[in-house]
Amino acid sequence: MRYFITISLLLISSLCAQSTQVEPFDVSVSVFYRPNEPELPTTKRLIDLMRKDKTISIQQWGGIELPGGGAKASLMMSIAGDTAPDVGEAWFHVIGSEVRNGFLYPLNEWIGEDEDGNGMIDDHEAKWDGWKDVPTLWRKVAMHDGKIYGIPQATKSTMGVIFRTDLVKAAGLNPNNPPETWDEFRQWCDALTQKDKTGLITQRGIGLQPYGFTFLPWIQSAGGSPIVQYKTSPTSGEKIAFPADAISFKSPSGEDLSSAPSEWQANFDSPEAAQAAKLYHDLIWQKWIKHPDTGKGIYLTKEDLTKGSVEVDGKEISFTQTELYTGTAIGQTGQRGESAFDYLANGRTAMVTWFADDLNSMGQKVNISPDLLSWFPFPKGPGPNATQAIQIQNHYIVMYEGVSRRSKAERDKIWEVATALSDKEVRDNAVKQKVLSGMARFAKPSDLKRLGYDEYLAEIPQAIKNNFTKMDSGKIAAATEPYMGFWSTVDGALNREVLSLIIAQTGENFDYQTALKHVNKKANGGMMFAMTDDELNKYRPNARIVFAIIVIIMICLMIKIVRNSLKKDNSNLAKKAGSRNVYNKYLAWGMVAPALILIALWSYYPSSKV
């Protein structure tokens, strides 16, 4: 009897346990979860999360994932077909567009509400503690009408100038003392540009890419801001320009303009942008020779080239065509094997601008040992506001709009996945991965110390240590890609209409300043930002005249139709013929013409004036 009772109790307990067992919630994740690569920092974090929380089952999103912009095209199609992932990535400079198109799900139910209506969720309004660690600019970019749509990823990318230490040493340069100014950078390019015995240039200083986003840091290192926002003082009416990534808006008189609306404008024709374009042009086309005694570069004028000699320190130095160099850079052509990375791999160049966070992957990409790679910030340009600069890319973790159709319990689990991807464990996993793969030399020294890897600090080159020290102290300016307007379109325009033409074979006499002005006008004429009221006012008088003419034509046409419809004719056949005559000959074109004229007026006429 006792045995029977015991068995019964065990059976009941088992049935109760089965009845209370909860099926795990499926959460689909793109980009961040690749189960076939468990060593990836984000994948490792999500695997750990599933071990701790058995109610979460993370699935790799099954959509087609293409590199670069193709990935976004695939994602957009999945949103339209209601097959999008729950969690994914939104680029810093694109999240605003995705919000405006309704692709993302707001995160206020977990982060908090903008209770005071200032357009930001302040620390005292936040329910999620992690919000207090989010920088102001990243809060601002991800918010729209009081709603927050993304949280920054745990890791970020840093763009700088990557170089091969072996080629730098071979040129007699010190890899631990990289250039800090444009002049020093050009001296490095001169020293790294080599000829063979036949006079053929076999190695150049840097491989240039025509991408707009890799051009921006050169503008910023010259002290410029590619995009500016204007705020108008309500007291003085003065219009004051601020950088695109400004978070403080004090006028010269001390007035706080934070609440004043911003008027955004492209600034690609600024003096600093022209200086950056000139640098590109000089790196490709500058005629120069090497000093016969010191080996340093001597830049030549047209007069020097004509007479075949140049005066240096009171001494006339003659040169032959064999001794003449044209440029110290090579531009990538886009053909197979002709990218800047290919040039770096085969030794045709010693430097390239790209992201410096994972030089191990960079080494694998160009098939050279990562031990031969290092990096430095974009050097300081000319001008009073010039500074060393880097470009920071810290993209967002987002939920897609399909999450709105999940239950509250499911949404909470999705949020748990999103916050796991943003926490410090992901960043720590990235540091540990570098140590385990033998790449501790590229880790941030403070991260190695924090995780107890002090013995690896000696492996970090002094130049890289200096980079991190300056970044932490604010001596190196950290800028971002533009996040307002249609930057991707203008990025392509800078590529096609300016940078590609500078580095092309026909680029020696290219007027890059006029090209920059043309791109800037197009950017502010609708390509990136809408025209200002002042610009539109120039066209409105003509537009009103055209509109009045259209109205008069329409009135005349309607009168003609009414008259013909009321006109009596003795012959039915004549009536039908007359009717066909009016409707077939006039009505169709008459109704379509105003629409065509208005489209031409508002779409093409302003563009033709740009």
Side-chain angles (χ1 to χ4, degrees), residues 158-439:
T158 304
M159 183 189 293
V161 182
I162 297 171
F163 65 93
R164 283 184 53 169
T165 56
D166 57 331
L167 300 181
V168 166
K169 290 177 181 177
L173 302 170
N174 183 358
N176 278 320
N177 187 29
E180 296 186 357
T181 66
W182 282 12
D183 287 341
E184 293 175 0
F185 173 71
R186 293 200 64 185
Q187 291 170 15
W188 261 44
C189 288
D190 295 345
L192 290 164
T193 300
Q194 307 289 338
K195 282 186 175 183
D196 62 16
K197 293 180 180 179
T198 67
L200 181 68
I201 295 180
T202 56
Q203 177 183 299
R204 293 183 183 271
I206 188 169
L208 292 180
Q209 304 164 92
Y211 308 135
F213 72 96
T214 58
F215 178 63
L216 295 182
W218 292 108
I219 301 176
Q220 290 150 343
S221 69
S225 180
I227 305 295
V228 294
Q229 51 180 319
Y230 289 95
K231 287 181 176 285
T232 302
S233 168
T235 55
S236 67
E238 183 184 3
K239 210 174 189 180
I240 302 169
F242 294 93
D245 54 1
I247 57 176
S248 176
F249 301 96
K250 294 285 187 181
S251 71
S253 64
E255 183 181 8
D256 186 1
L257 302 179
S258 300
S259 58
S262 294
E263 179 186 308
W264 295 86
Q265 286 191 19
N267 195 34
F268 299 113
D269 61 349
S270 66
E272 295 83 4
Q275 288 172 337
K278 182 180 185 300
L279 176 65
Y280 267 50
H281 189 271
D282 288 346
L283 289 171
I284 294 287
W285 296 108
Q286 175 74 61
K287 298 291 193 295
W288 64 288
I289 61 171
K290 291 195 175 185
H291 195 288
D293 298 328
T294 65
K296 291 184 177 180
I298 303 172
Y299 304 133
L300 305 174
T301 65
K302 290 182 179 180
E303 291 76 15
D304 297 332
L305 293 169
T306 300
K307 67 181 183 179
S309 64
V310 58
E311 184 178 338
V312 179
D313 297 330
K315 179 181 178 181
E316 197 73 18
I317 300 176
S318 299
F319 56 87
T320 64
Q321 288 297 312
T322 305
E323 295 171 313
L324 190 65
Y325 290 79
T326 299
T328 57
I330 183 172
Q332 72 174 28
T333 65
Q335 298 179 1
R336 186 178 179 85
E338 293 290 320
S339 74
F341 301 115
D342 293 316
Y343 301 150
L344 189 71
N346 57 33
R348 290 178 66 186
T349 63
M351 296 182 286
V352 66
T353 56
W354 203 247
F355 300 101
D357 304 274
D358 191 357
L359 293 184
N360 184 35
S361 296
M362 169 65 79
Q364 293 174 358
K365 185 173 185 177
V366 300
N367 198 28
I368 61 175
S369 170
D371 291 335
L372 299 178
L373 297 176
S374 189
W375 72 279
F376 57 86
F378 289 86
K380 177 182 177 181
N385 298 318
T387 178
Q388 287 183 280
I390 55 174
Q391 184 181 105
I392 294 292
Q393 292 199 356
N394 191 190
H395 301 309
Y396 290 96
I397 302 155
V398 297
M399 295 184 194
Y400 293 101
E401 58 84 29
V403 171
S404 64
R405 293 181 285 280
R406 305 287 289 271
S407 68
K408 173 59 177 171
E410 291 175 304
R411 294 201 304 274
D412 287 341
K413 293 302 177 183
I414 296 170
W415 170 250
E416 192 175 338
V417 170
T419 52
L421 289 169
S422 73
D423 66 24
K424 70 178 185 65
E425 288 188 44
V426 175
R427 186 169 64 252
D428 293 348
N429 288 342
V431 176
K432 292 174 183 176
Q433 184 186 23
K434 285 181 180 179
V435 173
L436 293 175
S437 61
M439 294 295 111

Side-chain angles (χ1 to χ4, degrees), residues 466-592:
N466 293 342
N467 293 341
F468 286 115
T469 300
K470 289 182 179 180
M471 289 163 60
D472 290 342
S473 66
K475 292 181 179 179
I476 296 176
T480 66
E481 283 191 81
Y483 61 90
M484 294 296 292
F486 298 100
W487 158 239
S488 297
T489 308
V490 179
D491 184 359
L494 285 170
N495 181 333
R496 295 185 305 273
E497 301 179 31
V498 183
L499 305 176
S500 288
L501 299 182
I502 290 175
I503 67 178
Q505 293 181 354
T506 57
E508 185 169 6
N509 298 313
F510 176 63
D511 186 357
Y512 51 82
Q513 287 187 321
T514 298
L516 283 172
K517 290 178 181 178
H518 184 67
V519 169
N520 201 66
K521 282 188 176 182
K522 290 205 297 186
N524 290 326
M527 178 181 283
M528 188 170 185
F529 299 113
M531 281 188 176
T532 64
D533 286 339
D534 291 340
E535 283 291 319
L536 287 173
N537 285 336
K538 297 177 183 178
Y539 308 118
R540 280 175 174 147
N542 291 338
R544 293 187 182 103
I545 294 172
V546 173
F547 181 73
I549 293 172
I550 292 173
V551 172
I552 292 171
I553 292 173
M554 289 293 294
I555 292 173
C556 292
L557 185 60
M558 293 303 297
I559 291 172
K560 186 174 180 66
I561 292 171
V562 172
R563 283 181 176 177
N564 278 277
S565 66
L566 296 176
K567 186 177 181 181
K568 301 296 183 181
D569 197 291
N570 294 327
S571 170
N572 290 334
L573 182 60
K575 287 181 180 179
K576 291 180 181 178
S579 177
R580 281 198 304 272
N581 201 24
V582 172
Y583 285 100
N584 291 347
K585 188 176 292 185
Y586 303 112
L587 186 57
W589 285 107
M591 292 299 183
V592 171

Side-chain angles (χ1 to χ4, degrees), residues 128 131 134-135 138-139 150-154 394-397 421-422:
W128 176 52
W131 186 247
V134 177
W138 270 259
R139 299 186 191 191
I151 53 177
Q153 296 177 28
N394 191 190
H395 301 309
Y396 290 96
I397 302 155
L421 289 169
S422 73

Side-chain angles (χ1 to χ4, degrees), residues 105-128 131 143-148:
Y105 182 75
L107 309 178
N108 297 70
E109 62 186 275
W110 302 285
I111 294 178
E113 298 292 343
D114 176 22
E115 297 172 359
D116 58 10
N118 66 351
M120 295 283 285
I121 298 176
D122 300 313
D123 287 351
H124 70 276
E125 297 170 324
K127 296 187 293 185
W128 176 52
W131 186 247
M143 289 201 68
H144 185 73
D145 290 339
K147 300 296 182 183
I148 178 69

